[in-house]
């Protein structure tokens, strides 16, 4: 590619800046549910298209919404009054070359499997489904019929994405804290903890504070006193987990934890965070694709980001998905493989209809720990070109769900 721009990053690396704010919405958060589930629908559609025709057809399932239901919470175990409603929107291919696809069955079976695999207390009866997937427009659908054998598809949107490397410690600990709280090990030790975990981290100089929200399952809690006892035990465990990893940092940060800060003793159910199912989607919070984590699993407020929701978009022509994920991969390769690079940002810009392996612009902004920018330009070019040359392989990794997106 000739249209690769490499320039110096005229900013202090984020880890050295005074203020940093990072958020992660976890497994049972309504927004995470939408992102993860809708992308799984895309993966299963790709599998069906490949199995029956040998290639992936036009689809985008990135307009999903989870509408909260209603419960009657009660210490010792509450009940579901109205189920949650999961709405699947946007586009899919229902027929091609005389082959029909049972889209409704693929969608609903995917959803049921996802809930069964991920949320311990959500029963099939707790969810209703509304499928609003329609056939795509003729011009966008035709993109899939234009390519010749072994050629990449054209982009189905004019869009830009940005990725970066490396992660800061704040970004890493926010991500890993949620993963720990939703790990099988933690759930075995604290089965009363729900999956709807949200972690907000703020670093002020070298002081990191995490605010954690996570409901307790009301069937495990028989009194307000028991709730606060278990809450304190869990908060101590979180503090121990975070402190342990902070000690591995060269510049040892000071850490502190808050947990379920809306709680107020003496108010019964009105002053404690409990759920029947482990997710606030049961009666408190709706979810939507694109409102959750970025493709690197966090919401990093200090970083530039694309407005595109990657989850659910098709993995072979929609640059809102491909470039979002690829820009991060390129940034990490530059950081890991090229000596003296301390921070890298990669921007990719597409033109609708143009081959996805030939973006209109690929821009890299680099901060050097030592040496000069000129000394690494050739290596940066090679990394970007090699990733674009192998973009079809990368797209198939996306199609099989092998690239984390949330």
């Amino acid at each position: 590619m000739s249209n690769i721009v490499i320039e110096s990053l005229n900013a202090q690396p984020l880890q050295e800046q005074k203020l940093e704010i990072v958020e992660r919405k976890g497994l049972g958060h309504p927004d995470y549910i939408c992102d993860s589930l809708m992308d799984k629908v895309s993966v299963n559609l790709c599998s069906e298209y490949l199995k029956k025709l040998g290639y992936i057809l036009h689809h985008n399932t990135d307009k999903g919404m989870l509408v909260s239901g209603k419960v009657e919470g009660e210490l010792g175990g509450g009940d579901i009054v109205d189920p949650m409603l999961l709405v699947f929107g946007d586009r899919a291919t229902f027929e091609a070359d005389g082959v029909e696809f049972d889209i409704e069955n693929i969608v609903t079976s995917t959803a049921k499997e996802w809930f069964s695999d991920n949320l311990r207390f959500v029963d099939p009866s707790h969810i209703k489904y509304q499928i609003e997937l329609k056939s795509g427009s003729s011009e966008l659908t035709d993109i899939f019929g234009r390519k010749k054998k072994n050629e990449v598809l054209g982009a189905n949107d004019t869009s830009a994405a940005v990725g970066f490397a490396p992660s800061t410690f704040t970004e890493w600990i926010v991500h890993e804290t949620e993963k720990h709280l939703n790990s099988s090990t933690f759930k075995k030790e604290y089965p009363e903890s729900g999956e709807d975990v949200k972690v907000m981290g703020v670093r002020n100089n070298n002081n990191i504070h995490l605010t954690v929200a996570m409901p307790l399952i009301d069937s495990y809690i028989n009194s307000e006193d028991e709730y606060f006892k278990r809450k304190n035990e869990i908060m101590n465990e979180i503090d121990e987990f975070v402190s342990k990893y902070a000690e591995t940092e060269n510049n040892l940060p000071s850490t502190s934890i808050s947990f379920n800060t809306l709680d107020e003793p003496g108010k019964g159910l009105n002053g404690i965070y409990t759920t029947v199912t482990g997710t606030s989607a049961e009666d408190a919070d709706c979810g939507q694709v694109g409102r959750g984590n970025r493709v690197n699993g966090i919401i990093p407020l200090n970083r530039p980001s694309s407005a595109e929701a990657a989850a659910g978009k098709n993995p072979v022509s929609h640059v809102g998905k491909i470039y979002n994920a690829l820009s991060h991969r390129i940034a990490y390769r530059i950081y890991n493989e090229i000596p003296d690079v301390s921070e890298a940002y990669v921007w990719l810009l597409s033109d609708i209809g143009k081959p996805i392996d030939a973006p209109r612009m690929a821009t890299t902004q680099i901060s050097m720990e030592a040496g000069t920018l000129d000394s690494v330009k050739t290596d940066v070019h090679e990394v970007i070109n090699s990733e674009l040359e192998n973009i079809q392989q990368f797209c198939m990794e996306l199609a099989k769900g092998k690239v984390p997106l949330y």
Side-chain angles (χ1 to χ4, degrees):
M1 267 188 66
S2 59
N3 49 343
I4 296 176
V5 176
I6 303 171
E7 60 182 7
S8 294
L9 178 63
N10 295 318
Q12 191 177 27
L14 180 54
Q15 185 65 56
E16 299 173 13
Q17 296 178 29
K18 177 179 179 179
L19 180 69
E20 184 181 5
I21 300 174
V22 185
E23 179 182 2
R24 176 166 168 82
K25 296 178 179 179
L27 178 64
H29 190 285
D31 293 331
Y32 183 103
I33 292 172
C34 287
D35 282 344
S36 180
L37 206 161
M38 300 304 170
D39 202 64
K40 184 63 174 177
V41 169
S42 172
V43 168
N44 286 350
L45 284 174
C46 288
S47 177
E48 189 72 2
Y49 293 145
L50 285 166
K51 181 172 70 175
K52 291 188 174 180
L53 286 180
Y55 56 93
I56 294 171
L57 297 170
H58 176 61
H59 70 278
N60 291 306
T61 58
D62 59 331
K63 302 299 188 296
M65 184 175 185
L66 179 59
V67 182
S68 60
K70 184 178 181 181
V71 301
E72 288 183 354
E74 183 178 347
L75 293 176
D79 295 310
I80 303 295
V81 176
D82 290 323
M84 296 170 269
L85 173 65
L86 190 55
V87 183
F88 299 84
D90 218 334
R91 297 292 179 259
T93 300
F94 291 76
E95 184 276 332
D97 296 341
V99 178
E100 294 186 352
F101 300 92
D102 189 351
I103 301 299
E104 182 171 340
N105 180 61
I106 293 171
V107 169
T108 54
S109 61
T110 299
K112 290 175 182 178
E113 181 182 15
W114 190 95
F115 282 109
S116 176
D117 289 345
N118 293 285
L119 299 183
R120 296 164 295 156
F121 301 98
V122 174
D123 184 83
S125 65
H126 299 162
I127 310 284
K128 294 189 299 185
Y129 302 110
Q130 180 178 333
I131 300 173
E132 299 294 342
L133 293 168
K134 310 296 182 185
S135 298
S137 69
S138 57
E139 189 173 22
L140 287 178
T141 302
D142 190 61
I143 288 175
F144 289 73
R146 295 179 187 179
K147 83 163 191 171
K148 299 177 182 178
K149 187 176 181 181
N150 297 325
E151 286 185 354
V152 299
L153 290 176
N156 79 337
D157 196 5
T158 299
S159 184
V162 57
F164 59 85
S167 295
T168 66
F169 178 75
T170 309
E171 291 169 337
W172 183 86
I173 198 62
V174 165
H175 183 277
E176 291 305 303
T177 298
E178 184 278 326
K179 298 294 284 186
H180 172 64
L181 295 178
N182 270 319
S183 67
S184 59
T185 301
F186 185 89
K187 294 308 183 194
K188 184 176 181 180
E189 185 173 358
Y190 301 97
E192 71 277 19
S193 63
E195 286 84 6
D196 193 346
V197 179
K198 179 171 146 179
V199 182
M200 179 70 77
V202 58
R203 176 179 60 78
N204 188 349
N205 287 321
N206 206 33
N207 301 308
I208 297 174
H209 182 80
L210 301 186
T211 300
V212 179
M214 179 175 63
L216 302 189
I217 307 299
D218 62 8
S219 60
Y220 283 85
I221 307 298
N222 295 303
S223 68
E224 184 184 276
D225 287 344
E226 184 178 1
Y227 172 88
F228 282 103
K229 177 177 180 293
R230 298 301 283 164
K231 174 185 173 179
N232 287 334
E233 291 172 355
I234 290 172
M235 186 165 69
N236 289 336
E237 205 282 339
I238 298 171
D239 186 52
E240 183 179 335
F241 174 83
V242 173
S243 299
K244 173 185 174 182
Y245 284 95
E247 291 172 0
T248 65
E249 287 294 284
N250 293 328
N251 188 18
L252 178 63
S254 169
T255 61
S256 56
I257 306 294
S258 296
F259 179 38
N260 290 358
T261 57
L262 187 60
D263 290 349
E264 187 173 337
K267 286 184 171 290
L269 282 174
N270 294 328
I272 58 178
Y273 185 18
T274 60
T275 62
V276 177
T277 61
T279 173
S280 61
E282 67 181 27
D283 75 337
D285 193 10
C286 296
Q288 189 174 358
V289 170
R291 296 186 71 254
N293 308 313
R294 305 285 81 86
V295 295
N296 61 340
I298 54 173
I299 305 170
L301 276 73
N302 297 69
R303 306 280 199 175
S305 65
S306 168
E308 292 277 11
K313 286 179 167 60
N314 85 74
V316 289
S317 78
H318 207 310
V319 288
K321 183 175 201 169
I322 301 164
Y323 284 4
N324 249 313
L326 186 62
S327 60
H328 280 279
R329 175 173 289 197
I330 293 173
Y332 266 94
R333 279 198 60 191
I334 290 171
Y335 172 73
N336 288 323
E337 297 177 15
I338 302 176
D340 298 326
V341 171
S342 60
E343 194 169 50
Y345 290 83
V346 174
W347 306 76
L348 299 174
L349 170 64
S350 67
D351 267 348
I352 189 168
K354 303 300 183 183
I356 59 172
D357 63 347
R360 170 168 284 276
M361 184 67 68
T363 299
T364 304
Q365 296 177 323
I366 293 175
S367 178
M368 298 294 294
E369 197 171 287
T372 65
L373 187 64
D374 286 340
S375 67
V376 300
K377 281 187 175 180
T378 298
D379 292 335
V380 172
H381 270 270
E382 289 178 357
V383 169
I384 294 173
N385 280 320
S386 69
E387 288 296 333
L388 291 172
E389 287 169 4
N390 292 289
I391 199 166
Q392 292 192 92
Q393 179 181 334
F394 180 71
C395 289
M396 290 310 298
E397 290 179 38
L398 287 169
K400 294 177 181 178
K402 293 183 177 181
V403 180
L405 294 177
Y406 30 79

